[in-house]
């Protein structure tokens, strides 16, 4: 199953999923998912609709309770922490569907969940976010509900960055956006990677995703069926055909 090792002997991953199982009521969605993300690495989570990508993300963030396995962050279990504490532990989420606060302004959205970077002299400031997305500066007094889809996506990313995460999770961040705006989001993701942020990216646009990701996991019905590098994935077009559908 593992086509290319990324053995980093002696280096433990930032995030490690150990056989996680998650169910919605009586209906099991994840069947023992193992996944690792190292510091500074960009990992892609692939698979068709309904295969368990968002459930994996919700399980990491404590938004969906595990019924088996464990999520370890810097070697410590997150299993008994609530979603609020997990969100303040250095894991930032840009959720599927963006979910900006509709009745708060852009500026209020950015500061509502902001968190200082512990042990780091300089974290993300409002100015940094406005530097990355000048459109948000222009719109800073507008309400979340009055923004375009692209602006809402930039705001969702900015809001997650204001928690000063060490790992940023993006669940379908380019979904439903016009091609130009999509390009802006990919450039943002690339620049976050260059700054050394670890990333977990879920996206249907395999081309840009393969350019930015170091390692890929393919989910099929709640289980990892393959993992490997972008190069290894490029060499296996049948994997893309059978499990990703492009
Ligand atoms: N809130 C929910 N209640 C019940 N079942 C759900 C819920 N969310 C997702 N599921 C089911 O869990 C499975 C995985 O869904 P999901 O993780 O959203 O897939 P993906 O993000 O890969 O499209 C699907 O069978 C889906 O129908
Ligand atoms: Mg999803």
């Amino acid at each position: 199953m593992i086509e290319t090792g990324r053995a980093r002997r002696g280096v433990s991953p930032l995030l490690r999923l150990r056989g996680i199982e998650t169910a919605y009521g009586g209906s099991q969605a994840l069947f023992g998912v193992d996944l690792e993300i190292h510091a500074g690495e960009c990992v892609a989570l692939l698979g068709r609709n309904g295969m368990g990508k968002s459930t994996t993300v919700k399980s990491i963030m404590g938004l969906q309770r595990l019924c088996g396995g464990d999520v370890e962050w810097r070697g410590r279990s997150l299993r008994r922490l609530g979603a609020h504490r997990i969100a303040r532990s250095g894991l930032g989420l840009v959720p599927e569907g963006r979910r900006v606060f509709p009745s708060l302004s852009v500026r209020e959205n950015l500061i509502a969940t902001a968190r200082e970077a512990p042990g780091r002299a300089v974290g993300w400031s409002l100015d940094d976010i406005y530097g990355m997305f000048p459109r948000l500066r222009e719109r800073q007094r507008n309400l979340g509900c009055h923004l375009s889809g692209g602006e809402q996506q930039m705001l969702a990313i900015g809001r997650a960055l204001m928690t000063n995460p060490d790992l940023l999770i993006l669940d379908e961040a380019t979904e439903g956006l016009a091609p130009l705006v999509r390009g802006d989001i990919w450039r943002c993701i690339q620049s976050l990677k260059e700054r050394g942020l670890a990333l977990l990216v879920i996206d249907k646009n395999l081309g840009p995703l393969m350019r930015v990701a170091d390692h890929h996991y393919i989910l099929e019905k709640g289980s990892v069926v393959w993992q490997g590098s972008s190069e290894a994935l490029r060499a296996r077009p049948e994997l893309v055909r059978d499990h990703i559908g492009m």
Side-chain angles (χ1 to χ4, degrees):
M1 184 177 83
I2 302 175
E3 294 213 343
T4 52
R6 40 172 186 156
R8 299 191 181 185
R9 267 176 229 106
V11 181
S12 45
L14 258 189
L15 182 78
R16 177 181 273 151
L17 308 188
R18 289 187 192 270
I20 64 167
E21 297 180 25
T22 307
Y24 294 99
S27 162
Q28 192 164 346
L30 298 184
F31 297 84
V33 171
D34 293 314
L35 179 149
E36 287 183 4
I37 304 176
H38 291 265
E41 191 175 46
C42 179
V43 170
L45 187 56
L46 306 168
R48 292 180 200 271
N49 280 342
M51 291 306 167
K53 304 180 298 297
S54 296
T55 303
T56 302
V57 168
K58 288 186 265 179
S59 306
I60 294 169
M61 297 303 293
L63 299 166
Q64 197 64 42
R65 208 166 55 84
L66 299 182
C67 52
D70 206 353
V71 175
E72 287 175 10
W73 174 245
R74 300 183 177 284
R76 297 169 74 167
S77 173
L78 293 181
R79 197 166 172 169
R80 287 180 211 296
L81 292 189
H84 183 73
R85 290 202 35 214
I86 293 173
R88 304 192 75 73
S89 312
L91 292 103
L93 172 63
V94 180
E96 198 172 21
R98 298 157 201 149
R99 314 254 172 107
V100 301
F101 304 121
S103 57
L104 296 186
S105 69
V106 164
R107 191 172 184 283
E108 287 164 342
N109 260 281
L110 289 172
I111 56 182
T113 54
R115 157 190 170 271
E116 302 263 312
R120 225 186 297 157
V122 190
W124 285 89
S125 67
L126 270 179
D127 260 349
D128 295 331
I129 304 299
Y130 292 152
M132 177 167 268
F133 299 119
R135 188 78 188 131
L136 292 183
R137 190 195 299 275
E138 292 163 23
R139 304 279 264 150
Q140 60 180 304
R141 289 192 180 76
N142 290 92
L143 296 184
C145 60
H146 291 156
L147 303 180
S148 70
E151 290 164 350
Q152 285 191 19
Q153 192 60 63
M154 293 169 194
L155 182 53
I157 295 172
R159 184 178 61 180
L161 289 173
M162 288 290 282
T163 71
N164 281 300
D166 298 307
L167 167 68
L168 183 68
I169 303 176
L170 298 124
D171 192 351
E172 312 260 15
T174 70
E175 174 80 10
L177 301 182
L180 270 177
V181 186
R182 222 183 259 169
D184 288 343
I185 302 295
W186 284 114
R187 273 188 290 281
C188 158
I189 293 172
Q190 182 66 45
S191 87
L192 293 174
K193 186 186 170 186
E194 283 161 14
R195 291 170 77 124
L197 190 61
L199 298 159
L200 177 62
V201 184
I202 297 171
D203 208 283
K204 294 202 170 61
N205 298 281
L206 201 53
L209 187 52
M210 295 238 269
R211 285 192 283 280
V212 70
D214 303 298
H215 199 81
H216 302 260
Y217 288 84
I218 299 180
L219 276 183
E220 176 84 22
K221 295 185 184 147
S223 300
V224 174
V225 291
W226 185 87
Q227 60 164 309
S229 65
S230 290
E231 194 183 18
L233 184 56
R234 265 189 214 103
R236 298 279 306 272
E238 79 283 5
L239 281 175
V240 175
R241 188 190 62 222
D242 296 346
H243 298 292
I244 307 166
M246 278 176 275

